């Protein structure tokens, strides 16, 4: 029993840290959740702000919450974040000229690989059957029971 | 001709290796700020010392200014502090502090204990100004030109090396501009 209590006590800070947001309707809450997943916490860079309890992530979540309550669109909220923290705040990089390499690079490499493979296969000398002379010689060497096939 | 074709994979490999090597040596904690080259975001907040007085963008205009974001709870700010004191003593440019998400008395106590390198200090109790300025890790230091445009941002504590190699030359250059 004591152990269980001790474990619960250890969990307590995480429970306290999780802030509760209330919404007018489930749609707003769903938007809050999906936006939280799309925005990067810049302190703990591998995490989204929804997954992080870092101070900055909490601030950004509060901002997202405020803007959703104010009736701003998802795009407006993302633009707000990008204006302050740059494209890096978005976990999905935007498609633009500076990110074409990022988006299409792997497919370009794949295409180059396939092209190289095709060239190599085409260049390989065609499989040639053995001549009648060679077959005769093989028969002599191996004995009578060599079947004829190409 | 055949030779050249055989060399292609090697060339591609070397190019990729160089690209990745450069990528590995960069500091991922330093996110380029989209605010470089833009006017400093609007703000007006009370000063740290006197809640009755306020400070805003107009106070940062007219000369090349450093804006240093700090807090009494920020451990790295302690490391940076002596460097700021030295820089302030050189009087090359005023240093304006932004006390970020701090308790007023803690901020003031910190300054009286370690010394105050700041000409003025804005008090950003709830971090709203920091948010608008894209602050995500204190300390951060912005260099503003005389028109109040952000020209450079340093994330993390500034060191003597940063001062010598980056800040001083930049301040000199910005002072030459009109």
């Amino acid at each position: 029993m004591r152990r269980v209590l001790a474990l619960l006590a250890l969990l307590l800070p995480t429970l306290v840290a999780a802030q509760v947001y209330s919404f007018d309707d489930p749609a707003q809450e769903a938007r809050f959740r999906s936006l939280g997943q799309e925005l990067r916490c810049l302190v703990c860079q591998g995490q989204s702000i929804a997954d992080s309890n870092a101070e900055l992530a909490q601030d950004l979540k509060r901002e997202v919450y405020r803007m959703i309550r104010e009736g701003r669109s998802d795009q407006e909220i993302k633009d707000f974040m990008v204006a302050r923290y740059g494209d890096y705040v978005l976990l999905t990089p935007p498609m633009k000229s500076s990110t074409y390499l990022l988006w299409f690079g792997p497919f370009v490499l794949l295409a180059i690989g396939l092209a190289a493979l095709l060239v190599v296969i085409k260049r390989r000398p065609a499989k040639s059957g053995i001549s009648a002379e060679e077959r005769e010689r093989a028969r002599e060497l191996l004995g009578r029971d060599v079947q004829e096939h190409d | 001709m055949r030779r050249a074709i055989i060399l292609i994979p090697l060339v591609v490999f070397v190019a990729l290796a160089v690209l990745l090597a450069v990528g590995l040596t960069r500091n991922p904690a330093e996110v380029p700020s989209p605010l470089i080259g833009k006017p400093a975001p609007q703000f007006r907040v009370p000063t740290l010392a006197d809640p009755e007085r306020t400070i805003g963008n107009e106070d940062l205009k007219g000369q090349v200014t450093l804006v240093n974001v700090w807090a009494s709870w920020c451990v790295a700010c302690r490391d940076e502090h002596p460097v700021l004191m030295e820089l302030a003593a050189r009087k090359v440019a005023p240093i304006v502090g932004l006390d970020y998400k701090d308790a007023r008395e803690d901020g003031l106590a910190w300054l009286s204990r370690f010394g105050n390198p700041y000409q003025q200090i804005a008090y950003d109790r709830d971090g709203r100004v920091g948010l608008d300025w894209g602050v995500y890790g204190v300390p951060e230091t912005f260099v503003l030109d005389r028109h109040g445009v952000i020209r450079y941002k340093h994330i993390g504590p500034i060191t003597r090396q940063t001062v010598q190699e980056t800040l001083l030359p930049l301040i000199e250059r910005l002072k030459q501009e009109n």
Side-chain angles (χ1 to χ4, degrees), chain A residues 42-43 45 55-56 59-60 62-63 66 80-89 101 109 123, chain B residues 2 5 12 28-35 100-101 126-128 130-136:
Chain A
L42 290 106
V43 181
Q45 295 184 344
E55 187 101 0
L56 179 82
D59 288 356
L60 295 188
R62 202 164 45 237
E63 280 304 303
R66 181 181 63 77
F80 174 94
M81 293 296 172
V82 169
R84 283 156 181 75
Y85 296 102
D87 288 336
Y88 194 67
V89 78
L101 186 64
L109 286 181
R123 287 251 179 106
Chain B
R2 271 201 74 82
I5 287 177
V12 171
E30 280 178 22
V31 180
S33 172
L35 295 170
Y100 174 74
K101 300 187 84 170
D126 51 8
R128 280 291 325 190
L131 187 85
D132 283 342
W133 284 56
V135 171
Y136 64 88

Side-chain angles (χ1 to χ4, degrees), chain B residues 32-47:
Chain B
S33 172
L35 295 170
I36 308 283
K38 297 205 178 111
Q42 290 294 321
F43 76 102
R44 181 152 287 282
V45 286
T47 61

Side-chain angles (χ1 to χ4, degrees), chain A residues 87-127:
Chain A
D87 288 336
Y88 194 67
V89 78
L90 303 173
L91 280 167
T92 308
M95 185 88 77
K96 57 188 198 185
S97 57
S98 61
T99 59
Y100 284 162
L101 186 64
L102 180 70
W103 279 102
F104 301 116
F107 298 107
V108 171
L109 286 181
L110 185 67
I112 292 172
L114 283 177
L117 187 66
L118 275 176
V119 168
V120 168
I121 288 174
K122 280 235 167 117
R123 287 251 179 106
R124 189 181 286 174
K127 192 178 164 194

